[in-house]
Amino acid sequence: MALSTRHLLGIKDLTENDLQLIFETADNFKSVLNRPIKKVPSLRDVTIANIFFENSTRTRLSFELAEKRLSADVVNFAASSSSVSKGETLIDTVNNILAMKVDMVVMRHPYAGAGVFLSKHVKAQIVNAGDGAHEHPTQALLDAFSIREKYGDVAGKKVVIVGDILHSRVALSNILCLKMLGAEVMVCGPTTLIPKYITSLGVKVEHDLRKALNWCDVANMLRIQLERQDIKYFPSLREYTMLYGLNKEILDSLDKEITVMHPGPINRGVEITTDVADSKQSIILDQVENGVAIRMAVLFLLAGQTE
Amino acid sequence: MLNPTLLDGPKFQITIQRLCRQLIENHNDFSNSVIIGIQPRGIYLAKRIAEELRKILPESTILHGDLDITFYRDDFRRREQLIPNQTRIDFVMEGKKVILMDDVLWTGRTIRAAMDALMAFGRPEKIEFLTLVDRRYSRHIPVAADYTGIEVDSIASQKVVVSWKETDGEDKVVLLSDRN
């Protein structure tokens, strides 16, 4: 049993068997993370470079921790403090890193397709840690894994993704992953932040937050990505919060108890209020914990294919 | 005979019983000892031994668990990828005498990985190893069993297969020839 792909560039490259294999492996790593010694020697002869051309806290830390828990040698690279600012190309940068005998590259990049481009030009295995507004596969995997952990299965669950769908790589990866696992998916947000042909992915569209929440089992609240918005998509953050922000009052008014997720970082008081983020219905911190286990599983399964 | 049966029927049960008696000689009432079966096939041996010990020592609490060693193997990236099995150890191992069990002892690499994996759960007072079948003269590392069911001389191309009543319908040890 092995993954059907040499790189993890996006959810669209994976099969349902791949997803199940990643989840089963992550189950084992989750138990490793709860032991007195949270480290296994599996990747002791593997060197991994974390190359981040965009800011990241959670994903970079999560990958780094996963790599160290697997006993890999880790090098970190941030574009802001590197020769990229002197004009070096992406391939030159990566090839220079690979010349130092690096086996795997975990890359975050502001441009969609950067991981695919790199995988065609270098020998190392590439893991996409987010490429522009395209995909963020490990986030989708950990989100689906968290739903599976909460409900036992993803199939048949109703998941609404709320917010800035247009600029969100998390939304696209989540839609592909959840649909592959048999969940029903709905997107909810202002018309300006819902892509025109999103229904071609087999998702429902709803612009009324209360209707969407009454329909769903799980609400995944996305961050408003002001850094990706070059024009105004809604009049003000305050208006967005009034129409699409999740607060305790709305949550308590529903006729069922839904699960609240957020990929982070949270704009508290914008897409989600503090009392919701910290409520028992929120599994946001479980998502963070599961992120390490999922990334350990992905790295372990990819590294196992190299020879 | 192409695939000789090394152990089956009453002899199989007698061997299990003997191993249990040898364990009792060294571990008395098992108040400070635990049994750990190595995944995937050692867990059946450990389960059988634990069941027999509970019959012989009805007053004792026999703690037994399963240990997966996938993440500790030294042949990762050198062979077909293995899917991890479940580790199930719901007791504290710190300061306990641990008896690791596997159905077949061959190169010794599995038991080396198992000892490595064991350390993630604490520092046992002592580790012993019990195997049902010892394939002699085929070690890659200096490992020996403290308790042995049977010893067999075999060549590398042959395979020892242990079947269990619970999973395979009968208790049996067979030596498979490379001509199969």
Side-chain angles (χ1 to χ4, degrees), chain A residues 27-38 149 289, chain B residues 120-121:
Chain A
D27 283 335
N28 287 285
F29 280 124
K30 189 143 189 198
S31 77
V32 167
L33 293 172
N34 287 303
R35 291 180 193 171
I37 296 171
K38 300 163 178 58
E149 190 177 59
E289 184 188 344
Chain B
F121 293 89

Side-chain angles (χ1 to χ4, degrees), chain B residues 161-177:
Chain B
V161 177
V162 180
S163 307
W164 297 94
K165 203 162 41 186
E166 298 85 338
T167 52
D168 313 298
E170 63 175 332
D171 294 335
K172 198 175 181 181
V173 180
V174 175
L175 183 65
L176 291 183
S177 158

Side-chain angles (χ1 to χ4, degrees), chain A residues 274-293:
Chain A
T274 290
D275 50 4
V276 171
D278 301 335
S279 73
K280 62 177 174 48
Q281 284 168 262
S282 155
I283 57 167
I284 295 169
L285 290 178
D286 295 325
Q287 287 174 266
V288 178
E289 184 188 344
N290 289 337
V292 179

Side-chain angles (χ1 to χ4, degrees), chain A:
Chain A
M1 280 285 276
L3 289 179
S4 62
T5 173
R6 217 183 138 252
H7 310 279
L8 180 63
L9 302 172
I11 296 293
K12 67 179 183 302
D13 301 322
L14 300 176
T15 65
E16 194 184 340
N17 281 343
D18 289 335
L19 298 183
Q20 296 300 349
L21 178 60
I22 291 167
F23 290 166
E24 283 164 25
T25 309
D27 283 335
N28 287 285
F29 280 124
K30 189 143 189 198
S31 77
V32 167
L33 293 172
N34 287 303
R35 291 180 193 171
I37 296 171
K38 300 163 178 58
K39 200 174 170 97
V40 293
S42 307
L43 266 59
R44 67 194 140 199
D45 54 347
V46 177
T47 306
I48 303 174
N50 298 315
I51 307 177
F52 280 68
F53 292 90
E54 256 188 357
N55 291 339
S56 167
T57 306
R58 222 169 323 271
T59 305
R60 192 175 56 79
L61 280 179
S62 184
F63 265 112
E64 194 176 337
L65 199 54
E67 290 150 8
K68 287 176 173 171
R69 296 274 191 245
L70 288 163
S71 305
D73 293 318
V74 180
V75 285
N76 288 310
F77 167 97
S80 55
S81 58
S82 74
S83 294
V84 170
S85 56
K86 299 176 187 173
E88 194 176 50
T89 66
L90 173 60
I91 290 180
D92 280 343
T93 300
V94 174
N95 272 329
N96 274 286
I97 292 168
L98 294 182
M100 301 172 201
K101 302 287 177 272
V102 168
D103 303 290
M104 294 174 89
V105 172
V106 174
M107 186 175 74
R108 168 165 292 188
H109 202 280
Y111 295 128
V116 177
F117 170 75
L118 202 59
S119 71
K120 290 176 179 168
H121 291 88
V122 299
K123 280 184 180 171
Q125 291 177 286
I126 311 296
V127 179
N128 179 8
D131 57 338
H134 177 226
E135 279 227 44
H136 192 352
T138 55
Q139 181 66 48
L141 289 166
L142 75 90
D143 287 347
F145 184 77
S146 301
I147 294 170
R148 171 181 172 267
E149 190 177 59
K150 171 87 182 176
Y151 292 98
D153 196 2
V154 179
K157 294 290 161 292
K158 294 176 176 173
V159 183
V160 64
I161 303 169
V162 182
D164 185 357
I165 311 298
L166 185 65
H167 299 95
S168 176
R169 53 195 171 208
V170 173
L172 179 60
S173 287
N174 256 282
I175 289 166
L176 297 172
C177 187
L178 293 168
K179 292 293 293 177
M180 205 185 299
L181 291 165
E184 289 182 65
V185 185
M186 178 187 278
V187 292
C188 175
T191 312
T192 49
L193 291 176
I194 304 281
K196 195 173 179 181
Y197 299 107
I198 193 86
T199 49
S200 65
L201 294 173
V203 302
K204 298 180 173 73
V205 176
E206 178 57 68
H207 299 295
D208 184 322
L209 179 66
R210 279 180 190 268
K211 281 184 186 171
L213 294 175
N214 272 315
W215 171 85
C216 75
D217 301 307
V218 179
N220 195 349
M221 310 301 293
L222 300 183
R223 185 175 61 89
I224 290 296
Q225 302 192 47
L226 294 169
E227 75 274 15
R228 293 194 199 281
Q229 297 181 9
D230 44 4
I231 58 167
K232 283 272 188 190
Y233 288 88
F234 44 81
S236 69
L237 270 182
R238 187 164 172 269
E239 182 175 311
Y240 177 86
T241 302
M242 284 174 68
L243 292 170
Y244 294 101
L246 182 57
N247 57 44
K248 201 79 173 78
E249 183 207 337
I250 298 173
L251 212 52
D252 292 339
S253 72
L254 303 176
D255 53 7
K256 57 182 173 180
E257 194 172 278
I258 64 165
T259 299
V260 179
M261 298 172 74
H262 194 299
I266 304 172
N267 293 320
R268 282 181 186 255
V270 178
E271 61 266 10
I272 189 169
T273 56
T274 290
D275 50 4
V276 171
D278 301 335
S279 73
K280 62 177 174 48
Q281 284 168 262
S282 155
I283 57 167
I284 295 169
L285 290 178
D286 295 325
Q287 287 174 266
V288 178
E289 184 188 344
N290 289 337
V292 179
I294 278 287
R295 289 175 177 117
M296 284 175 83
V298 164
L299 295 167
F300 174 81
L301 291 166
L302 288 175
Q305 303 175 318
T306 55
E307 288 177 20

